[in-house]
Structures are given as C-alpha cells and as structure tokens.
Amino acid sequence: MKTFVIEIEGLVQGVGFRPFVYKLASSMGLEGTVENLNTGVRVMVNSSNESLEKFIEKIWSDPPLQSQVESVVVNEVSPVYFSGFSIITSSNLSEEVTRISPDIAVCDNCLADMEKQEHRIGYPLINCTNCGPRFSIIKGLPYDRPLTTMSRFKMCKQCSIEYNNPNDRRFHAQPVACNNCGPVYSMLIDESEIKGANDIIERTAEIIDGGGIVALKGTGGYHLVCDALNEDAVASLRKAKEREGKPFAVMCRDIDCVKEITRPGEEEIETLKSWHKPVLIIQGKDIVAPSVSNGLRTVGVILPYMPFHYLLFSKLNTGVIVFTSANLAEEPVITDDEEAKDKLGSFADAVVKYNREIYNRTDDSVGRYIAGEVRIIRRSRGYAPTPVKIRFNAEGVFGAGAELTNCFGMGKGQNLILSQHIGDLKNAATSEFFATAYSRFAGMFRFQPEIVARDLHPDYLSSVFAEKLAMESCVPVHMVQHHHAHITSCMAENGISSKVIGVAMDGVGLGSDGKIWGGEFLIADLCDFSRIMHFDYVPVAGGDYASKEPWRSGLSWLIKYLGEDAISDDMPIIKNTGHEKFKLYTELVEKEINTSYYSSAGRLFDAVAAITGLCHTAKFHSEAPMRLEAAICKGINTHYGYDISRGIISFGKTIGEIVHDLKAGISPGEISARFHNTVARAVVDGIMRVSDISGIKDIVLSGGTFQNRYLTEKIISELLSGKFYVYYHHNIPVNDGGLALGQVAVAAARRDTGMI
Ligand SMILES: [Zn+2]
Ligand SMILES: [Zn+2]
C-alpha cells in the first residue's frame, strides 16, 4: 500500500466532484481524503498500483455530467495514515484560480424530487450538486456557502443532514435549500404582495394566459414574459420595452412545442436540452405572434431552466411565452428587486421575485447552427466564466474588448477567462457594469494586470477604462487593431499560431490608416499582420448614424459606382428617402462633410438592404444585414459581377446589376440571394489569390458578418472543396464579443517574443 496525491484540474468545483470521488473511493475500499483547492480538486489516497490505475481510469471515464476533467497528475508521497475516506474542508492555498462553474439548469432528479420529497414539494428554487445557480451567486472563492448570496439562509435540520451526508445528492451543494429554510418567491401585484409559491404560480399563469405581462426574476437577471401567441400582448410588451424592432426570444414548454413553432435539426435539439440551456436562433414556422420576430424568419428559442419555469408551464395554457431580458433602452438586464419594482412595475401587470440576491448578472446565452455545429454568439449564463484553454502563457494580460457586445478577458496561465456578455458600452449603466464586473473578476480570479490590451479606437469606453487601469497599475497599454484581434481570437480558440490568411468581415473597426475597416484580408500571426486585400473604400456621411441609417450606405454606394445621374426617383431607396434629402446627402458626401471612408462588409450589406427597399433605417443593431439574409430566396445559384485588382475588391458591378434587376422587377429575395452568392464568390476568389502569392492554406474567418449562416456556409464549403483548412469559431462569439480573446492573444504573443 502506497500513498498518492492526485491533483485534478478542469471544471471540478461546484459540480458534485468531491462526492463523486468519495463514492468512487468508498466503493473501491480505498482510504484517504478529497478537498477543493483553488486550482481544482486534490485527492490523497492509500492504494495499490493496480487499484490506483482503476481509480484514475474512472475519474477520466465517469465524472459528473457537468464537470470537465482536463488533467490528472499523480505523485507518490511518504506514507500517511487515513481512517476511511473523507471529504475535508476547502483549502485556500494558491493564487492560481481559473475555474468558477457557470450556472447549471435544474436537473431531472431535482424535478422528480419536487414532486415527491416532502420538504421540497413544489419548491421553486430546488437544486443539488448537479444543478442550480453557481456563478450568479458566487462572491468569492473557494466556492463555499459563506461566500455566496445563500450565506444569509440558515439550513434547516433536514437540509443540513443532506448537506453533510456524502452519499446524498445534496452533499456540499452550496445553494441547498427547501420550503422550510430556503429563499422564497413573492409577487407584487396591484400594490400588494402575495406570498406562497402555488398562489404566485397560478396568478402568473392567469396573467400570461389573459394577455398580460409579468416581470420574472431569473437566474442572472429579470425577464419580461407574456403569451407569445397573443399579438396584442407581444405588441404592448414591445412598446413598453422601448425597443421597436429587435426580435424577442421565446421559451417553449418542451421540445415538442419547439418543433411546433420552428424546424430544429438534431444538433439544435441536443443543445437546447443541454444543461447550458442557451437561446438558439432557429428557422421559424410563422406560428408565434408576428411581433415576436418582427418579419425575420427565425425565432430565438429556449427551454425552461429554472424549477419555477417548469411549475409555471404546468399551469399555463399557452405552450410558448416571450422570454426577453428585462432591460430598458440598451441598459444592462435588471438584477435588483427594487429597481425591478420601479422600472418594470410601471408597465408589467406583476413583478415576481425571490429573496436570493443575484450577485453576478448574466443574460441568456445565444447560439446559432452554422456550418455543421451550434456556435455560441452571445456567451453568458451557462457558459461564462468557463475559461478558454489557450496554447500560450497569457498570465496577467487584460483585454478590454470592443465597444459593442462587449466582453473583457483576463489571462491566467494558459487560460483565458472571458467575462459574461456586458453589452454595448454606450451608456453610463453599462460602463458601470463593466467596471464592477472587472473588479469582481479580478478579485475572484486573483488577477493582477501586467499588460493591458485595448482596441485602436481611443474613444471606446473599454479603451478609456483600459488606459485608466494601466495608469493605476503602472503597466503598459498595448493597442491591437480590431480585425487583427478578430483573426487572433479565432486562432487562439482553435489553437493555431502559425501564419494564416485571415478574413475579417464586420460593421466597424478602426483601421491602422484611420479609415473604417470591415472587409479585410490579412496575412496574420499572433504578433502581427499585413493587410493584403480589402473591400473598396466608400465614403459614408453621418458619423454614428451610418450604421443606424442604412439608406446612407445605399446612397453612398450608388453615388460612388453609378453616379448621381443614374439614380432615378422611381428606385425604392429614393422613394423612401425623398428627392430633397437625396440631393442634400449627395452634397454632404461630395464635400466630405462628417464623412468617413468604409471598407466595411456591414455597410455593404446595409447598402444593398436599403437599395432593395428591405431596410431603410435600422431599429436595432445589424437589422439591415439580418433582413437581407432573411429575404434570401432558396435555390438561386447565379451571382453578380465584381472586380478584384491591386488588392481591392470592388462591388461596383454588383451594385449596377442589382439596380438593373430591380428595374426589371426581380424580387428583393432573388436579388439578395445573388448578392450573397457574389460576396461569397468574391471572398473565396480573394482568398485564392492571397494563397497563390503566399502559399498559405490555413484560412481563418471571423467578425460579425460571419453570423450570416447562408454566407458563411457557402464560403466554408467552397473553401473546403478547394483544399483549404478552414478555422471558424465554436464557443467564442465570432462578433465583437470574442474580441478580448484576440487582444489578449496578441499582447501575450508579443510579450513572449520579446516585442514588448
Ligand atoms: Zn439537481
Ligand atoms: Zn431546508
């Protein structure tokens, strides 16, 4: 018999790992201990070599569902005497924290307990070691109840017995609670407060089925819910949210109901049912109320993930409810009960809350099936703050992210910890969320900045924050060009570091020449890049209004490539703009008043959406490209002309032929399909030319435009048949939400090579 120390790293805390080790060791008759460290789990065990081998094998093969074992290191030490096997108190031994479990959707065993366990009958906050809130309630590490927002709830005798029994599913489940001792729901309605879960659930269901709106506290923030089949209810919710256009997500009772309203594929069904429970954007069937998706053909769908959701559906007549974050006018989702009462109580028919504090705000994550798998395009509840494994040392590197759909990132050894989705850093409330989240992450993960990386754009609030942080910490600031960061983000996620051809397409990103980029072909490695090819520059007037008013791009593209005289008053865009405004705008562009030069794919898509009359002004971010994609007629393989010469791809011919098609009465859907085919063809053509010169076959695709499924799948399939290796994002958003990873990768790589 020898004594071994086994150190297990990965996602092994807050996921029932110690009880699993305890049961395994006990079943094998092994003696020893298991404990949580900051870095993972440490097991000490007395064993023969043979038993040890079996023990390790089981750790790899049968760990708890939500855990993720990344490494198991075994060392023999001098013999220690143990009596039986026990779980010992968490130690706080090192500064190397990399793991905090994301929130986990309620498990099937808990749903069953909710019907049969006497003290938990209908308990709407039931949880166990395999499920329940984690990141949203954690204030510090190690993960133990006193450092969570459950600290103020004293366990009853029964919960305490379960909590202390290694054979119980609730052994050391930090948020463990029941009807007798745990947090409770309450409902604010008509100036009075209702208590008692059953009554609250029944009243909530009545309000929703009756066409009303309820503000409902979720895991990481409040949601607004109403019947998704009732157009009046959805329309009034839209009005109340001050958000006229952006599609709402819907929650379905179960997977059958998802199939009734959308056409999910096998993998989408699997992801919807997974413990992460993201919203997936799926092809719809025009069954939910028109105001839900507002003219788009897709629906954002999610399944229930809190016990309360299941209880609610058991009382509801409708099988689909609108399930949208409760935030007003681009502010972060509301987490505070008082704020919910003040801001949501004014228009919601009731506010339903529970008295456990949400410490870390999280939105619902969002995914979309693109080119063979579900890709995460907003990474928050259920995913954050799981680290991303990278192949280089990023210790101490902070990436501030971009301005839109911001997430920031922190390097911890060979891990990058990406924050939850913060949002658009355009207002004071979101900037405050950014700063608070930073200090909480720095505290929890024991992060000390050594290098700060930021976007080239000096006015982004993330850049301003980065400068201030660097000054306060006396560390250097490092600027990373936006599209280089997109490409390196995708490289880091895919574990590649050699030179690649990177195609970055998005709406805006400041280029090294002071112009606005977004249709870029780079030869890049982690340290640096050269810009080999790009979309032709087109001047657009209006500053920030350029992205909000696609008609500006429409006119700019027409003026540049066809000339003012070729634009006639019978074109949809001129009908929508008015002749006067068109003349005025032409003058602005000609005189270069408040005008910037764009090589941006986002603006090109805006232009075509406006020219074809599909989107004149955008009511939400990226509306025009989304409407253009939604309009695509299937089965069209033709394309328009374009030019590539001297490193510039021009869509002048494309615009001319689109106008010709419009005049010939071709539908916008057919034009959209041809336009998408053209961009795909031009991108592949561009890549082949860059590859011919450079000999590089590794292609990296990144940037928000690659959220366009039709375009991305077309490009990837053509590249694969051309014998290229194609790298694309999986769990890190392809949009600016993944940018911080690229910033960290560049700064870390430059430090490694001695460039800084
Ligand atoms: Zn459970
Ligand atoms: Zn209890």
CSV table of all heavy atoms in Angstrom, one decimal, residues 194-217:
chain,number,residue,atom,x,y,z
A,194,ILE,N,-48.0,39.2,-2.7
A,194,ILE,CA,-48.6,37.8,-2.5
A,194,ILE,C,-47.4,36.9,-2.1
A,194,ILE,O,-46.4,36.9,-2.8
A,194,ILE,CB,-49.3,37.3,-3.7
A,194,ILE,CG1,-50.5,38.2,-4.0
A,194,ILE,CG2,-49.7,35.9,-3.5
A,194,ILE,CD1,-51.2,37.8,-5.3
A,195,LYS,N,-47.6,36.0,-1.2
A,195,LYS,CA,-46.6,35.0,-0.8
A,195,LYS,C,-47.2,33.6,-1.1
A,195,LYS,O,-48.4,33.5,-1.2
A,195,LYS,CB,-46.2,35.2,0.6
A,195,LYS,CG,-45.5,36.5,0.9
A,195,LYS,CD,-44.4,36.4,2.0
A,195,LYS,CE,-43.3,37.4,1.8
A,195,LYS,NZ,-43.4,38.5,2.6
A,196,GLY,N,-46.3,32.6,-1.1
A,196,GLY,CA,-46.8,31.2,-1.3
A,196,GLY,C,-46.7,30.9,-2.8
A,196,GLY,O,-47.3,31.5,-3.6
A,197,ALA,N,-45.8,29.9,-3.0
A,197,ALA,CA,-45.4,29.6,-4.4
A,197,ALA,C,-46.6,29.2,-5.2
A,197,ALA,O,-46.7,29.6,-6.4
A,197,ALA,CB,-44.3,28.5,-4.4
A,198,ASN,N,-47.5,28.4,-4.7
A,198,ASN,CA,-48.6,27.9,-5.5
A,198,ASN,C,-49.5,29.0,-6.0
A,198,ASN,O,-49.8,29.1,-7.2
A,198,ASN,CB,-49.5,26.9,-4.7
A,198,ASN,CG,-48.8,25.6,-4.6
A,198,ASN,OD1,-47.9,25.3,-5.3
A,198,ASN,ND2,-49.2,24.8,-3.6
A,199,ASP,N,-49.8,29.9,-5.1
A,199,ASP,CA,-50.6,31.1,-5.5
A,199,ASP,C,-49.9,31.9,-6.5
A,199,ASP,O,-50.5,32.4,-7.5
A,199,ASP,CB,-50.9,32.0,-4.3
A,199,ASP,CG,-52.0,31.4,-3.4
A,199,ASP,OD1,-52.6,30.4,-3.9
A,199,ASP,OD2,-52.3,32.0,-2.3
A,200,ILE,N,-48.6,32.2,-6.3
A,200,ILE,CA,-47.9,33.0,-7.2
A,200,ILE,C,-47.9,32.4,-8.6
A,200,ILE,O,-48.1,33.1,-9.6
A,200,ILE,CB,-46.4,33.2,-6.7
A,200,ILE,CG1,-46.5,34.1,-5.4
A,200,ILE,CG2,-45.6,33.9,-7.8
A,200,ILE,CD1,-45.2,34.1,-4.7
A,201,ILE,N,-47.6,31.1,-8.7
A,201,ILE,CA,-47.5,30.4,-10.0
A,201,ILE,C,-48.9,30.5,-10.7
A,201,ILE,O,-49.0,30.8,-11.9
A,201,ILE,CB,-47.0,29.0,-9.8
A,201,ILE,CG1,-45.5,29.1,-9.5
A,201,ILE,CG2,-47.2,28.2,-11.1
A,201,ILE,CD1,-45.0,27.9,-8.7
A,202,GLU,N,-50.0,30.2,-9.9
A,202,GLU,CA,-51.3,30.3,-10.5
A,202,GLU,C,-51.6,31.7,-11.0
A,202,GLU,O,-52.1,31.8,-12.2
A,202,GLU,CB,-52.3,29.8,-9.5
A,202,GLU,CG,-52.6,28.3,-9.7
A,202,GLU,CD,-53.5,27.7,-8.7
A,202,GLU,OE1,-54.4,28.4,-8.2
A,202,GLU,OE2,-53.3,26.5,-8.4
A,203,ARG,N,-51.3,32.7,-10.2
A,203,ARG,CA,-51.6,34.1,-10.7
A,203,ARG,C,-50.8,34.5,-11.9
A,203,ARG,O,-51.3,35.1,-12.8
A,203,ARG,CB,-51.4,35.1,-9.5
A,203,ARG,CG,-52.3,34.9,-8.3
A,203,ARG,CD,-53.7,35.4,-8.6
A,203,ARG,NE,-53.9,36.8,-8.8
A,203,ARG,CZ,-54.1,37.7,-7.9
A,203,ARG,NH1,-54.2,37.3,-6.6
A,203,ARG,NH2,-54.3,39.0,-8.2
A,204,THR,N,-49.5,34.0,-11.9
A,204,THR,CA,-48.6,34.4,-13.0
A,204,THR,C,-49.2,33.8,-14.3
A,204,THR,O,-49.3,34.4,-15.3
A,204,THR,CB,-47.2,33.8,-12.8
A,204,THR,OG1,-46.7,34.3,-11.5
A,204,THR,CG2,-46.2,34.3,-13.8
A,205,ALA,N,-49.6,32.5,-14.2
A,205,ALA,CA,-50.2,31.8,-15.4
A,205,ALA,C,-51.4,32.5,-15.8
A,205,ALA,O,-51.6,32.7,-17.0
A,205,ALA,CB,-50.4,30.3,-15.0
A,206,GLU,N,-52.3,32.9,-14.9
A,206,GLU,CA,-53.5,33.6,-15.2
A,206,GLU,C,-53.2,34.9,-16.0
A,206,GLU,O,-53.9,35.2,-17.0
A,206,GLU,CB,-54.3,34.0,-14.0
A,206,GLU,CG,-55.3,33.0,-13.5
A,206,GLU,CD,-55.8,33.4,-12.1
A,206,GLU,OE1,-55.9,34.6,-11.8
A,206,GLU,OE2,-56.1,32.4,-11.3
A,207,ILE,N,-52.3,35.7,-15.5
A,207,ILE,CA,-51.9,36.9,-16.1
A,207,ILE,C,-51.4,36.7,-17.5
A,207,ILE,O,-51.9,37.4,-18.5
A,207,ILE,CB,-50.9,37.7,-15.3
A,207,ILE,CG1,-51.4,38.1,-13.9
A,207,ILE,CG2,-50.4,39.0,-16.1
A,207,ILE,CD1,-50.4,38.7,-13.0
A,208,ILE,N,-50.5,35.7,-17.7
A,208,ILE,CA,-50.0,35.5,-19.0
A,208,ILE,C,-51.0,35.0,-20.0
A,208,ILE,O,-51.2,35.5,-21.1
A,208,ILE,CB,-48.8,34.5,-18.9
A,208,ILE,CG1,-47.6,35.1,-18.1
A,208,ILE,CG2,-48.3,34.1,-20.4
A,208,ILE,CD1,-46.5,34.1,-17.8
A,209,ASP,N,-51.8,34.0,-19.6
A,209,ASP,CA,-52.9,33.5,-20.4
A,209,ASP,C,-54.0,34.6,-20.7
A,209,ASP,O,-54.6,34.5,-21.7
A,209,ASP,CB,-53.6,32.3,-19.8
A,209,ASP,CG,-52.7,31.0,-20.0
A,209,ASP,OD1,-52.0,30.9,-21.0
A,209,ASP,OD2,-52.8,30.1,-19.2
A,210,GLY,N,-54.1,35.5,-19.8
A,210,GLY,CA,-55.1,36.6,-20.0
A,210,GLY,C,-54.5,37.8,-20.8
A,210,GLY,O,-55.1,38.8,-21.0
A,211,GLY,N,-53.3,37.6,-21.4
A,211,GLY,CA,-52.8,38.6,-22.3
A,211,GLY,C,-51.9,39.7,-21.5
A,211,GLY,O,-51.6,40.7,-22.1
A,212,GLY,N,-51.6,39.4,-20.3
A,212,GLY,CA,-50.8,40.4,-19.5
A,212,GLY,C,-49.3,40.2,-19.6
A,212,GLY,O,-48.8,39.3,-20.3
A,213,ILE,N,-48.6,41.1,-18.9
A,213,ILE,CA,-47.1,41.0,-18.9
A,213,ILE,C,-46.6,40.8,-17.5
A,213,ILE,O,-47.1,41.5,-16.6
A,213,ILE,CB,-46.5,42.3,-19.5
A,213,ILE,CG1,-46.9,42.5,-20.9
A,213,ILE,CG2,-44.9,42.3,-19.3
A,213,ILE,CD1,-46.6,43.9,-21.4
A,214,VAL,N,-45.6,39.9,-17.3
A,214,VAL,CA,-45.1,39.7,-16.0
A,214,VAL,C,-43.6,39.9,-16.0
A,214,VAL,O,-42.9,39.5,-17.0
A,214,VAL,CB,-45.4,38.2,-15.5
A,214,VAL,CG1,-44.7,38.0,-14.1
A,214,VAL,CG2,-46.9,38.0,-15.4
A,215,ALA,N,-43.0,40.6,-15.0
A,215,ALA,CA,-41.6,40.7,-14.9
A,215,ALA,C,-41.2,39.6,-13.9
A,215,ALA,O,-41.7,39.5,-12.8
A,215,ALA,CB,-41.2,42.1,-14.3
A,216,LEU,N,-40.3,38.7,-14.4
A,216,LEU,CA,-40.0,37.5,-13.6
A,216,LEU,C,-38.5,37.4,-13.4
A,216,LEU,O,-37.7,37.5,-14.3
A,216,LEU,CB,-40.4,36.3,-14.5
A,216,LEU,CG,-40.1,34.9,-14.0
A,216,LEU,CD1,-40.8,34.6,-12.7
A,216,LEU,CD2,-40.6,33.8,-15.0
A,217,LYS,N,-38.1,37.3,-12.1
A,217,LYS,CA,-36.7,37.2,-11.7
A,217,LYS,C,-36.1,35.8,-12.2
A,217,LYS,O,-36.7,34.8,-11.9
A,217,LYS,CB,-36.5,37.4,-10.2
A,217,LYS,CG,-35.1,37.5,-9.8
A,217,LYS,CD,-35.0,37.9,-8.3
A,217,LYS,CE,-33.6,38.0,-7.8
A,217,LYS,NZ,-33.5,38.4,-6.4
